[in-house]
């Protein structure tokens, strides 16, 4: 079953879908009437949102990270950085056999004619 079928089944407004999902034992969705944060407490996105600052603006002691200075901020980055210490052995092993890179099979970001 596709995502939309699961969605409409979860709404509970189509008895035919209810019968099909029950007969076939298909996986279902659970719908919440409130935000997930309210339903599950400490739910949070695994990504962080960081304001991107122009490179010519140096950080100073009076810089506030949540500043509303529109000239200083040029965009937002949503992602996650993980930095781990590595041992000398891990470094040597990586030189012999480089680790598999994440996101290595992404499609081209060049414009496509549609």
């Amino acid at each position: 079953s596709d995502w939309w079928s699961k969605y409409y089944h979860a709404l509970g407004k189509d008895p035919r879908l209810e019968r099909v999902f029950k007969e076939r034992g298909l996986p279902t969705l659970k719908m919440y009437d409130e935000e997930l944060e309210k339903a599950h407490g400490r739910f949070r996105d695994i990504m962080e949102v960081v304001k991107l600052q122009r490179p010519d603006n140096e950080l100073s002691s009076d810089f506030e990270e949540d500043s509303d200075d529109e000239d200083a901020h040029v965009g937002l980055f949503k992602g996650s950085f993980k930095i781990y210490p590595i041992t000398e052995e891990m470094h040597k092993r990586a030189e012999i056999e480089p680790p598999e890179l994440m996101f290595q099979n992404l499609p081209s970001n060049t414009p496509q004619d549609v």
Side-chain angles (χ1 to χ4, degrees):
S1 66
D2 62 280
W3 188 93
W4 286 106
S5 298
K6 292 176 187 174
Y7 171 73
Y8 288 115
H9 171 262
L11 294 177
K13 296 181 179 179
D14 189 342
R16 295 174 298 168
L17 280 176
E18 181 65 37
R19 188 185 79 248
V20 169
F21 271 75
K22 193 172 193 174
E23 287 173 358
R24 297 181 184 175
L26 298 173
T28 60
L29 295 178
K30 180 176 180 177
M31 299 294 284
Y32 291 89
D33 294 328
E34 59 189 1
E35 298 159 355
L36 288 176
E37 290 84 355
K38 290 181 183 174
H40 294 284
R42 295 181 173 167
F43 178 82
R44 80 182 244 288
D45 195 344
I46 62 169
M47 302 294 183
E48 301 291 333
V49 177
V50 179
K51 290 180 181 178
L52 298 177
Q53 187 176 5
R54 291 187 187 282
D56 57 336
N57 292 335
E58 291 194 25
L59 294 177
S60 64
S61 59
D62 61 337
F63 175 76
E64 294 180 23
E65 189 174 324
D66 295 327
S67 166
D68 290 329
D69 182 7
E70 293 300 318
D71 292 334
H73 295 102
V74 294
L76 298 173
F77 167 77
K78 184 172 184 176
S80 182
F81 291 104
K82 301 289 183 198
I83 300 174
Y84 300 97
I86 63 169
T87 64
E88 187 65 34
E89 180 185 330
M90 294 166 72
H91 181 66
K92 288 178 182 176
R93 193 172 350 131
E95 287 178 341
I96 296 169
E97 184 180 330
E100 187 174 318
L101 299 176
M102 296 181 81
F103 309 119
Q104 63 185 356
N105 295 320
L106 294 176
S108 170
N109 64 354
T110 57
Q112 302 292 318
D113 292 328
V114 183

